[in-house]
Amino acid sequence: MRQRGLKKDPGCSYVDHKGKVHLFMADDDSHPQAKNIYEMVLRLEAMVKNDSEIYENKRKENLPLTGFHSEKLAIAFGLLNTEAGVEIVVIKNLRVCEDCHQFMKMVSQVVNRKFVVRDASRFHHFEGGACSCKDYW
């Protein structure tokens, strides 16, 4: 790709909240609520893995927050800023990776919320620990 001068668009996700678009990129901490969003992602990962030690250890050690994909950040933002029961819609410019797909399935069950994620291939409707694509995307 370098030899041909080609560049790949970075992965990004966005959520429309109260008429304002909130854009998230992987490992991006430029959002005004970044600290709370990253804390929420850590909590969600701990809930999904049923291990609160993960969250506490990362917080206590002040580990650098890396590896946070844009769709995880967008979901966390949506959970922080919407009422219980409200569907969260995320638009992503690339395909959702397997890790994030699994994460969203599990989080939809743990928090009892519905997520609709539009990626480059299709709409994914996550609800109750399952996805409308039946894990074929």
Side-chain angles (χ1 to χ4, degrees):
M1 286 181 66
R2 283 188 196 115
Q3 289 174 340
R4 293 185 179 186
L6 301 174
K7 292 185 180 183
K8 180 181 156 200
D9 290 334
C12 65
S13 299
Y14 66 88
V15 177
D16 184 351
H17 178 64
K18 294 184 178 180
K20 184 177 178 194
V21 175
H22 296 266
L23 179 69
F24 300 94
M25 298 182 80
D27 302 327
D28 183 14
D29 64 350
S30 64
H31 194 277
Q33 295 179 18
K35 184 179 186 307
N36 293 334
I37 291 168
Y38 279 89
E39 290 274 327
M40 175 63 91
V41 171
L42 290 175
R43 267 190 245 122
L44 292 170
E45 286 180 343
M47 289 168 67
V48 164
K49 293 176 181 168
N50 241 354
D51 188 353
S52 60
E53 287 181 35
I54 294 170
Y55 168 69
E56 288 303 322
N57 288 340
K58 284 187 179 179
R59 263 193 56 209
K60 286 178 187 171
E61 295 173 20
N62 275 335
L63 293 177
L65 300 175
T66 60
F68 289 82
H69 291 183
S70 63
E71 55 268 51
K72 287 183 180 181
L73 300 175
I75 292 291
F77 170 82
L79 290 170
L80 287 169
N81 291 284
T82 59
E83 300 294 322
V86 174
E87 180 179 274
I88 297 171
V89 179
V90 176
I91 308 297
K92 181 166 176 61
N93 67 333
L94 304 174
R95 281 185 53 199
V96 174
C97 73
E98 187 174 352
D99 176 55
C100 291
H101 192 270
Q102 187 66 24
F103 173 81
M104 288 184 277
K105 280 186 0 183
M106 300 305 290
V107 169
S108 73
Q109 184 173 17
V110 170
V111 299
N112 196 26
R113 294 285 287 271
K114 183 175 182 181
F115 309 128
V116 176
V117 179
R118 173 62 172 139
D119 71 3
S121 299
R122 63 182 43 87
F123 281 93
H124 297 268
H125 298 264
F126 298 95
E127 187 172 19
C131 180
S132 59
C133 75
K134 297 183 178 26
D135 297 334
Y136 179 77
W137 78 101

